[in-house]
Amino acid sequence: MHALVSSYTSIFGKADRLSDIILPILARLVFAAVLLVYYWNSAGLKTDGSIFSPSAGAFGQIFPHAAEAVLYDVSQLNIFQRLVIFAGTVAEYVLPALILVGLLTRLAALGTIGFIWVQTIVDVTGHGVKLGSLFDNAIGLVDQRVMWTFLLLVLVFKGAGPLSLDALARRATAPAAA
């Protein structure tokens, strides 16, 4: 029994030591495979030819009740609505790009987590999507968003890993060893 426990400890001790290298890289890879294109496509739907020209789809997506009240006429957007749509569009392009290349990764992951939960609030309150609940054996909106959040929390706590611009910047600014 001692040999079995010793082997187990040895094998998974190596896994523990490699986790600071492997987990951030895998988290960024999974993010790129699952959420990068999702967010970039979503951002693309928010513009009408220019990032400064919000689309009717963006109006309806972010402010569904207000958009419906004016028949999705983007000329009826107020300054607050325009700023929110612009900020959301920029966030959907920039935050995933930062995570992809591993630059300012912890901040980008935190920003994306905030974005996810604002998006969730809009989905529930504006679009009537059922939030669902955890531990109920049904995959609902909350289950999906908790998984996305967990993935990003790996990056918040572990950073981008050694294959990133964050690591390159850290190496470039580190004092030379004597």
Side-chain angles (χ1 to χ4, degrees):
M1 184 62 154
H2 177 71
L4 181 64
V5 170
S6 180
S7 293
Y8 176 87
T9 303
S10 174
I11 290 168
F12 287 100
K14 291 175 186 167
D16 282 344
R17 289 186 293 281
L18 289 174
S19 71
D20 286 339
I21 295 169
I22 294 172
L23 281 178
I25 293 169
L26 287 177
R28 288 179 37 236
L29 180 64
V30 169
F31 177 85
V34 175
L35 293 173
L36 178 75
V37 173
Y38 167 83
Y39 278 115
W40 282 354
N41 284 339
S42 178
L45 294 173
K46 287 181 177 61
T47 64
D48 194 14
S50 160
I51 197 165
F52 300 106
S53 299
S55 69
F59 192 13
Q61 194 177 41
I62 298 172
F63 298 104
H65 300 302
E68 190 174 315
V70 296
L71 302 175
Y72 300 89
D73 179 3
V74 293
S75 70
Q76 301 297 313
L77 282 163
N78 64 40
I79 190 69
F80 173 76
Q81 292 165 332
R82 287 183 181 280
L83 288 172
V84 168
I85 292 170
F86 177 77
T89 304
V90 169
E92 284 185 313
Y93 279 129
V94 173
L95 294 174
L98 290 172
I99 291 170
L100 177 67
V101 299
L103 180 64
L104 303 173
T105 308
R106 287 182 161 113
L107 286 174
L110 277 172
T112 306
I113 290 168
F115 192 93
I116 286 168
W117 290 102
V118 168
Q119 173 186 7
T120 302
I121 291 166
V122 170
D123 286 345
V124 171
T125 62
H127 298 287
V129 176
K130 297 289 182 209
L131 184 60
S133 64
L134 298 171
F135 308 108
D136 65 355
N137 201 30
I139 304 296
L141 184 67
V142 72
D143 301 287
Q144 175 193 64
R145 304 295 166 82
V146 166
M147 290 293 289
W148 294 2
T149 300
F150 179 78
L151 173 67
L152 291 160
L153 282 172
V154 169
L155 296 174
V156 170
F157 287 105
K158 292 284 190 181
L163 299 176
S164 66
L165 292 179
D166 286 343
L168 185 65
R170 197 169 37 256
R171 285 190 296 270
T173 59

